[in-house]
Amino acid sequence: MSISIEEALAAGASLQTVSDSWRLDVELLLAEVLGKSREHLYAWPSESLGTDQERNFRDLLDRRLAGEPVAYLLGRKAFWDFELQVDSRVLIPRPETECLVEQALQVGKAFSDASPRVADLGTGSGAIAIALARSNPLWLVTAVDISADALELARLNAAQLGAENIEFREGSWCDGLEADEYAMIVANPPYVAEGDRHLQQGDLPFEPAIALVASDSGLGDLSLIIQQSKLVLKKDAWLLLEHGFDQQDRLRTLLANEGFKNIVGHKDYANTDRLVVAQWPG
Ligand code: GLN
């Protein structure tokens, strides 16, 4: 006898040991296997799972029990006003990165050029670049990543989401970008310190280390971007950087030492210091 939806949901309680959001996780995985909405699970609790469905569900539960992120199991993650395809080639987009998008759109409102060039460094799944490009179809967005694997997925996401005003480039941060060209550079680079205990927790062990970990207490890539961006930003252009919870003061000092002006820090939705905005005087 196959199990019912209600019994499958009950079996999912095993996830309590690995996930704070175990109930939601189980609902998402079961709904995915059935090809139905989460509401369906509560409307039809006594509906039976087919043999394949039950096997698929138990397989997903086992993988989740072993720590695999829900976003990778589903193969997608909601970000901004769309859904991205994600897998272990890319960092799972975080809600706090939507704050970076929000600030970038705010800064962009003041652009005098109708088609400014904007770069997203370390684009990963393409999350930031796609959000900016879709909100501003006239912007010319350059999405950079050092990982050809990540770029492949970012390209796919852009195509599926109809973001045509993005060009993709394989490279390290500002390498290969044109000098004195960009009205804005945004980045959510790796900023977790090597050996940080968070790397062993939650989804992080399954994500690409190259997207998470940076040298110099997590500031290595952020400092490189600050130095390199000076060459490619236009006069009075903007640099927006996501950073770790305890890095804002050091970043502000770094930016000031490198000659940036109008340096403003922002918090994320959890009230944690999360990003800096700074202007390059040229
Ligand atoms: N905010 C992520 C985390 O700590 C890290 C992302 C990043 O390094 N850019 O989970």
Side-chain angles (χ1 to χ4, degrees):
M1 247 312 262
S2 56
I3 61 167
S4 67
I5 285 182
E6 197 170 22
E7 287 163 337
L9 287 173
S14 59
L15 292 186
Q16 278 178 81
T17 50
V18 293
S19 171
D20 292 337
S21 57
W22 64 274
R23 184 88 211 173
L24 174 64
D25 297 0
V26 177
E27 291 175 6
L28 290 169
L29 297 177
L30 185 54
E32 175 74 7
V33 161
L34 298 177
K36 305 280 190 200
S37 66
R38 279 168 60 211
E39 291 70 30
H40 181 95
L41 307 177
Y42 293 97
W44 306 100
S46 54
E47 190 180 283
S48 293
L49 275 68
T51 316
D52 286 353
Q53 290 174 331
E54 181 176 345
R55 197 184 44 242
N56 292 344
F57 175 65
R58 292 199 186 278
D59 174 53
L60 288 177
L61 266 192
D62 285 348
R63 288 168 64 188
R64 183 70 190 118
L65 259 178
E68 223 174 306
V70 174
Y72 289 163
L73 294 175
L74 298 176
R76 55 178 192 274
K77 175 75 182 178
F79 183 80
W80 201 244
D81 61 352
F82 48 86
E83 214 167 56
L84 291 155
Q85 239 176 275
V86 294
D87 58 37
S88 58
R89 289 176 286 182
V90 296
L91 187 85
I92 300 165
R94 312 280 205 264
E96 56 265 33
T97 302
E98 294 176 357
C99 299
L100 188 66
V101 171
E102 213 173 288
Q103 290 302 327
L105 293 175
Q106 195 60 36
V107 166
K109 282 185 186 164
F111 288 159
S112 48
D113 185 352
S115 288
R117 295 193 70 177
V118 170
D120 171 26
L121 308 182
T123 197
S125 62
I128 301 170
I130 293 170
L132 298 182
R134 276 165 48 111
S135 300
N136 295 279
L138 294 179
W139 287 9
L140 304 170
V141 179
T142 304
V144 179
D145 209 289
I146 199 165
S147 156
D149 282 347
L151 278 180
E152 201 181 336
L153 191 53
R155 275 199 185 91
L156 185 78
N157 278 320
Q160 280 178 350
L161 291 162
E164 287 168 8
N165 49 328
I166 305 180
E167 56 154 4
F168 294 90
R169 298 211 196 164
E170 190 177 331
S172 170
W173 309 133
C174 297
D175 280 0
L177 296 189
E178 296 76 2
D180 202 17
E181 265 283 315
Y182 291 82
M184 177 161 64
I185 288 179
V186 298
N188 172 23
Y191 52 69
V192 181
E194 284 158 305
D196 188 306
R197 66 187 166 80
H198 289 110
L199 294 168
Q200 308 306 324
Q201 296 170 1
D203 292 346
L204 276 67
F206 288 81
E207 296 184 292
I210 193 178
L212 287 167
V213 185
S215 62
D216 191 16
S217 311
L219 288 169
D221 290 297
L222 283 161
S223 348
L224 272 179
I225 292 171
I226 290 173
Q227 287 158 26
Q228 295 180 5
S229 65
K230 292 161 60 173
L231 299 173
V232 299
L233 287 169
K234 294 187 349 177
K235 178 174 163 48
D236 294 330
W238 297 89
L239 176 63
L240 283 77
L241 297 172
E242 182 175 322
H243 60 72
F245 72 98
D246 57 353
Q247 294 170 336
Q248 196 165 86
D249 286 345
R250 279 173 293 169
L251 272 185
R252 293 168 67 106
T253 306
L254 263 174
L255 285 160
N257 289 345
E258 291 291 336
F260 282 83
K261 296 198 304 194
N262 295 322
I263 303 162
V264 180
H266 294 272
K267 292 179 184 296
D268 63 19
Y269 307 124
N271 212 31
T272 302
D273 287 342
R274 188 55 69 197
L275 67 109
V276 285
V277 179
Q279 192 172 25
W280 175 240

